[in-house]
Amino acid sequence: MKSAKLFSDIHFPVGKIDDKMYSSFTEHLGRSIYSGIYEPGHPEADDKGYRKDVAALVKELGVPVIRYPGGNFVSCYDWHDGIGPKENRPKRLDYAWATIETNEFGIDEFCQWAERVGVEPMIAVNLGTGNIKDAGDLVEYCNFPGGTYWSDLRAKNGHPEPYNVKYWCLGNEMEGSWQAGHLSAEDYTKKALEAAKIMRWVDPSIKLVACGSSYEMLPTYMEWDRVMMSELWDQVDYLSTHNYTMNAGQGTTNFIAAYKQLDDHIKNSAKVLEYVKAKNHFTKDIKICLDEWNVWNFQDIKLDSLDDLAGLTTFEMTSAEKWEIAPSILQEKYSLLDAVVVGGLGITLLNNADSVEIACLAQLINVIAPITTIRGGGVFRQAIYHPFHMLSKYGHGTTMKAVTDAETYSCDFGELPIVESAVVYNEEAKEVRIFALNTCQDDSTELELDLHGYGDLKVKKHLVLDGDNLEARNTFEEQENVTMREADVPEGNKVVLPKLSWNVIILG
Ligand code: AHR
């Protein structure tokens, strides 16, 4: 057995964890909406066609905010198509995923589903093929109390009360040529600035998310953010970025170390924000909105490395035939190994609580998602559901500085301690909650906890995600192949982390 020591002191906080850290995302893509959230005629459908079995799991997962309707989809989307009587709604080609969008489900259906499930919507406007007036009109449709064309139309369509949508994304991944209506940083800045002005004139209380850069292989990586934030600082509240990690082509050790790659990525965005703030003498703070993150192994197509994605259009990354309706695409089947990696990424989120205020697991249902439904049938939790659920359940309070003394291992992201952890202090419950990843693939590690100033704490609970078969997956028939298990609680302050495991240790 290996050994490691974790130090933390109550006098050294990193930052308060915002509840929005455990948000998610659902796009008009594959079966995320159709036969995910919404399936009229399903035995579990409610009076509006929303699946109650899915809603129950979304509630259990504890996501506070859900981003909608895309993603790449939003850059091709005209929100007007999705309002009013369903029989009048047009079927449209969605260029992003090469599917046919029936528009049976639109902004009203989403906001009303969010009300039923008890989550806050975060709406992205189309700044690709869309125009700034449409963005203003959408804010009017959702948030204006009444007495105007769009707000009265909302009432006529069945919802007199405004939805009061607070969070709005100014487009999606506008840096990339795969985006319909992709713009240069300068052109995006002009368009986003004018859209933001109009949207805020309609409702000054809204919070706006500027579209930052996400993909390091692009030559504009981070320069895009510098150019755009220098102009947009006063008009927006958050900088968006996305980060996906994949197993193929980098080897298991690097895949497990994805928490460090995400950490570098978040810190890059934070550094650009610091630079732009200092250079321009801005005073207000801008937080990061990591509105897409997950493991995405591109199981639809066979990939040897990330480089294989270069030059593909988005629909070439899926197994869909062209122009299907809600095809079964991007339905990743997550393994235990993927789940442990998602847990590691969660540790990074916690450790960046000072800069990241919103983070959305991408996505929520069926498409690269923790929840999988069978069309006409049941629903089950994928392996990644479990670490995310534990984060949203226990990851509240203040992240504290944690220093680990342990032997190291080498990976593409540097020389790292074998144990990666985040320490959360929950003042209300007077509990210290430690999230720890033992990266060692062939040995357990005894972690000694050296906690100062928190009072007399004892380990109350130790939850573990581990197993001998890293390829184990949950299926509808076998739903418990990958799940959290409760380990024995030690008497003292030394906790054994099994080989390659993700752990939640509660002290109180
Ligand atoms: O989540 C799937 C896709 O990944 C989104 O549509 C896009 O924003 C990202 O590239």
Side-chain angles (χ1 to χ4, degrees), residues 411-426:
C411 66
D412 284 357
F413 316 113
E415 194 70 22
L416 309 174
I418 53 170
V419 174
E420 175 66 9
S421 53
V423 175
V424 172
Y425 180 49
N426 185 292

Side-chain angles (χ1 to χ4, degrees), residues 1-15:
M1 180 164 6
K2 299 192 183 288
S3 58
K5 204 165 176 180
L6 176 72
F7 301 91
S8 176
D9 188 304
I10 198 164
H11 297 102
F12 299 111
V14 172

Side-chain angles (χ1 to χ4, degrees), residues 25 27 71-72 97 172-173 215 242 244 292 296 363 368:
F25 166 46
E27 177 169 1
N72 297 327
W97 301 106
N172 175 74
E173 291 185 356
Y215 296 98
H242 297 168
Y244 290 102
E292 290 184 30
W296 182 356
Q363 298 192 8
I368 43 173

Side-chain angles (χ1 to χ4, degrees), residues 97-100 315 320-324:
W97 301 106
T99 51
I100 291 180
F315 59 82
E321 296 297 319
K322 268 194 156 185
W323 315 127
E324 295 178 70

